[in-house]
Amino acid sequence: MIKVNDNFLRIPSSYLFSEIARQVSDYCHTHPNAKIIRMGIGDVTRPICPAAISGLHAGADEQAQASTFHGYGPEQGYQWLRNAIATHDYASRGITSVTPDEIFIGDGAKSDLGNIGDILSPDCRVAVTDPVYPVYVDTNAMAGRAGTLSENGLWNRIIYLPCTKENGFVPELPHEVPDVIYLCYPNNPTGTTLNRQQLKVWVDYALANNALILFDSAYEAYITDADVPHSIYEIPGARQCAIEFRSFSKTAGFTGLRLGYTVVPHDLKGFGANGEEVELHRLWLRRQTTKFNGASYVVQRAAAELYTPEGRRQVRQTVDYYMANALMLRNGLTEAGFEVYGGVNAPYIWVKTPDAMSSWDFFRFMLEKCNIVVTPGAGFGPSGEGYVRLTAFSTHEATTRAIERIAALRTR
C-alpha cells in the first residue's frame, strides 16, 4: 500500500498564485483580445543588469574549458560570493558579526523558508502575521505543525498575529507563547514596515521567551526610511534568536535564475528532546549537505558581479525603477479615491476594496472591467479580506495604463 503524507490532504488543493493563474488563463481563453496587465504575482519585468549578464557569460565560458570547469560546488556556496555578501550586505551597514561561514547560498528565499522547518521539531508552535505570505503557513501545515483548518480559514495550532488598519499593520505580541515566529519586513503583502524600535520589541520578546524568529528580508533593498532596519541583526541580541532570509529575485531580477541566501548565526541555539543545547547552524549545514548540492556555479558568478561598484549601481537603478512605479500606483490609486497602504519602503501596494466588496470579487471585477490582475487579500489570510495587493514590478508604460484604466472606471 502506498501511504501518503495526510498533511497534504488537509491544505487547500491549489497554491494561491496557481489559482490566480488558472482564473486569468480561463478569462484570456474566452477573451483572446484582452490586453492584460499583470500586477498580481510578484514577478519582475526588467532584464537582468549588464553586470550580472557579464558574470553569466564568464561562468558559461569557464564551464566550456577543462581548466576552468566546475562540477559539484560547496553546498554552502562559493567562498568568494559569501565573502562579498558579508562585506557589502552586512559589514557595510556596521554589522560585522555576520561571517561568511554563517551564510548559506541557496536557490531562492522561498526554498529556504520552506525547508528550514526540517531542523525544527514537529511540536513547535508557530506564529505568523496575518495577512501572511502563504509559504509560511502551507509548509508548516505540510509538516504537521498547523493542526486542522477551520471553516474561518484559520489553522488551530498556528498563532495568528493580525495586522490591520486599526493597529497600523504592526503585529501585537501574542497571548500564547510561540516557539517560532515568522516576520517579513518590508512586508509582503501589505508593503508596510517595522521601525527599529518596533523590531526591537520582537527581538526582546524572542530572547525573553526562548523563541526563534524567522526573518524574511527579501525586500530590504527597497527601504528608503532611515529608521527602518535592513537586517534584523541591526538589533542587539538578534544573533541569539533569529535566522535571516534574503533573495536576489526582486533586487537583481533573478526570479528565473533562482538564487538567495540564509544567515544562521553560530550564536543561535535550540534544544533536543533530551534538553541538550544544539547549534542550529550545525543542523542546517547537515540538512543542506544531505538534501542540496549547491546553487548553480554560473548563477553564483552572476551574483558576485552584483557586488562590484558597477553592479551595485545597476541594481540601484532597477530598484529605483520599480519604486517609481510604486509611487505612481500610490498616487494614482489615491487620486482615484482608493484607500492605499505600502509602496514607500516596499514594491507592494495594499488597497482597500471599495463598497465592502470581497477581495476575490474585486479581483474578478478588476480582471473583467480593467483587464488588470491583482492578488486577492483573502489569499494571504483572514485579515487580508477586503484588500487586494498590487505589485510595482510592471513596466512604467503598463503602470501608467493601469492607472488610466482604473481612473476611467472610477469616473464613470
Side-chain angles (χ1 to χ4, degrees), residues 194-351:
L194 296 183
N195 62 32
R196 202 168 304 278
Q197 182 55 42
Q198 289 167 333
L199 185 54
K200 182 179 183 301
V201 167
W202 283 98
V203 170
D204 291 346
Y205 175 86
L207 291 170
N209 291 278
N210 198 24
L212 170 66
I213 295 175
L214 300 178
F215 192 73
D216 185 350
S217 187
Y219 307 98
E220 64 82 26
Y222 293 85
I223 293 171
T224 57
D225 290 350
D227 195 36
V228 176
H230 287 254
S231 168
I232 196 170
Y233 302 123
E234 295 179 37
I235 309 300
R239 286 180 56 82
Q240 287 76 48
C241 67
I243 295 174
E244 182 163 282
F245 304 83
R246 289 202 184 182
S247 170
F248 292 100
S249 288
K250 306 307 192 297
T251 55
F254 278 29
T255 52
L257 295 181
R258 307 308 306 146
L259 202 71
Y261 65 87
T262 296
V263 178
V264 186
H266 285 290
D267 303 3
L268 184 58
K269 307 294 198 309
F271 295 91
N274 61 358
E276 175 191 4
E277 190 175 72
V278 183
E279 264 196 24
L280 268 62
H281 181 281
R282 176 167 70 84
L283 301 186
W284 183 241
L285 178 63
R286 184 67 174 86
R287 188 268 175 204
Q288 291 298 83
T289 53
T290 300
K291 290 189 174 184
F292 186 56
N293 269 336
S296 160
Y297 169 77
V298 174
V299 178
Q300 290 189 67
R301 283 285 280 110
E305 294 301 315
L306 301 173
Y307 292 101
T308 64
E310 186 62 17
R312 294 200 301 274
R313 185 186 67 81
Q314 292 169 5
V315 167
R316 188 70 255 165
Q317 286 179 329
T318 297
V319 170
D320 289 345
Y321 181 96
Y322 292 134
M323 287 310 291
N325 285 346
L327 180 61
M328 282 195 285
L329 284 171
R330 274 185 61 89
N331 291 344
L333 289 164
T334 300
E335 289 172 8
F338 287 94
E339 192 176 312
V340 180
Y341 303 92
V344 176
N345 294 286
Y348 294 120
I349 314 295
W350 192 238
V351 183

Side-chain angles (χ1 to χ4, degrees), residues 123-140:
D123 297 329
C124 284
R125 287 296 305 275
V126 171
V128 300
T129 55
D130 173 31
V132 64
Y133 181 41
V135 170
Y136 308 159
V137 173
D138 289 358
T139 53
N140 278 288

Side-chain angles (χ1 to χ4, degrees), residues 109-118 135 139-140 182 245 287:
K110 180 179 180 179
S111 297
D112 283 0
L113 281 160
N115 292 329
I116 197 69
D118 283 3
V135 170
T139 53
N140 278 288
Y182 286 82
F245 304 83
R287 188 268 175 204

